[in-house]
Amino acid sequence: MSDPGGVSTIREATVADVDVILDQRRKMFAELGRPADETEREAMIGRARPFFEAGLGDGSYRGWFAEVDGRVVAGGGLVIARFPPGPFDPIPHRAWVFNIYTEPAFRRQGLARQIVETAIAWSQERGFGSLSLHASDYGRPLYELLGFKPTNEMRLMLADP
Ligand SMILES: CC(C)(COP(=O)(O)OP(=O)(O)OC[C@H]1O[C@@H](n2cnc3c(N)ncnc32)[C@H](O)[C@@H]1OP(=O)(O)O)[C@@H](O)C(=O)NCCC(=O)NCCS
């Protein structure tokens, strides 16, 4: 791991951070090229705004940022949904890791790892039995390092991607 070159701190996101979260989400999907068309991508980001505004307010979205010298350079969060308890999940909620993004100049300094570890610790303290996510090719090595394993999830697409 290289030196971040400044003091890094992790802080929790508030409702005032919606634009920062959407900007990181925009950059994440731009890097992944999904969807390929920029106008469609921007429309997708716009459709997500009410979700994050409401979620940060009612706790169904939890976000964390890594700041270096007071500037946000990485972030990520958890989508939390009511879900029936099951074999792995003793409480009536499940959580999905979301929006993990580090600015290119700050990569391989352990910032995304700190954010995901913060989300894991937060979830463990509240009795969650598992965390799920969809991994990009960039993110997969980080998640494997932290112990995430592939599952038996399947998906039927109901609209053109
Ligand atoms: C994936 C991403 C968030 C990683 O952010 P990061 O801050 O650079 O990750 P970290 O420095 O915390 O990585 C911790 C460890 O994960 C692994 N890792 C992270 N990025 C890796 C890469 N590109 N290749 C191989 N291993 C990688 C390494 O083991 C790394 O430890 P090391 O640097 O000591 O070897 C970043 O590359 C990114 O924003 N990518 C574009 C958006 C994206 O794909 N997000 C994930 C969506 S699921």
Side-chain angles (χ1 to χ4, degrees), residues 100-102 107-110 112-113 134 136 138 141-143:
I100 302 296
Y101 178 79
T102 300
R107 290 187 184 165
R108 304 306 292 267
Q109 298 175 5
R113 179 180 180 147
H134 296 119
S136 70
Y138 293 105
L142 165 67
Y143 304 132

Side-chain angles (χ1 to χ4, degrees), residues 51 64 75 127 133 159 161:
F51 172 86
W64 291 272
L133 57 78

Side-chain angles (χ1 to χ4, degrees), residues 7-47:
V7 179
S8 71
T9 54
I10 302 290
R11 75 161 171 91
E12 190 158 3
T14 74
V15 281
D17 292 311
V18 169
D19 285 329
V20 185
I21 289 168
L22 290 176
D23 192 49
Q24 291 184 333
R25 189 166 171 79
R26 174 183 292 113
K27 289 174 180 164
M28 180 181 77
F29 279 113
E31 208 162 317
L32 301 177
R34 288 210 308 260
D37 181 79
E38 192 181 341
T39 308
E40 281 180 33
R41 215 163 49 232
E42 200 49 43
M44 175 185 77
I45 297 300
R47 286 194 296 273

Side-chain angles (χ1 to χ4, degrees), residues 16-146:
D17 292 311
V18 169
D19 285 329
V20 185
I21 289 168
L22 290 176
D23 192 49
Q24 291 184 333
R25 189 166 171 79
R26 174 183 292 113
K27 289 174 180 164
M28 180 181 77
F29 279 113
E31 208 162 317
L32 301 177
R34 288 210 308 260
D37 181 79
E38 192 181 341
T39 308
E40 281 180 33
R41 215 163 49 232
E42 200 49 43
M44 175 185 77
I45 297 300
R47 286 194 296 273
R49 174 181 287 277
F51 172 86
F52 289 108
E53 283 173 346
L56 286 160
D58 67 16
S60 58
Y61 185 80
R62 297 273 172 172
W64 291 272
F65 297 120
E67 294 183 336
V68 171
D69 294 334
R71 188 170 82 79
V72 171
V73 298
L78 288 174
V79 169
I80 296 156
R82 283 176 53 75
F83 214 85
F88 307 123
D89 302 290
I91 64 172
H93 289 91
R94 280 190 61 186
W96 286 260
V97 176
F98 241 67
N99 287 344
I100 302 296
Y101 178 79
T102 300
E103 287 188 12
F106 291 86
R107 290 187 184 165
R108 304 306 292 267
Q109 298 175 5
L111 298 179
R113 179 180 180 147
Q114 283 183 64
I115 288 164
V116 180
E117 285 177 338
T118 301
I120 292 170
W122 186 94
S123 306
Q124 280 174 328
E125 282 164 21
R126 285 154 185 83
F128 284 78
S130 69
L131 286 181
S132 301
L133 57 78
H134 296 119
S136 70
D137 290 344
Y138 293 105
R140 190 173 300 277
L142 165 67
Y143 304 132
E144 286 174 345
L145 181 76
L146 291 172

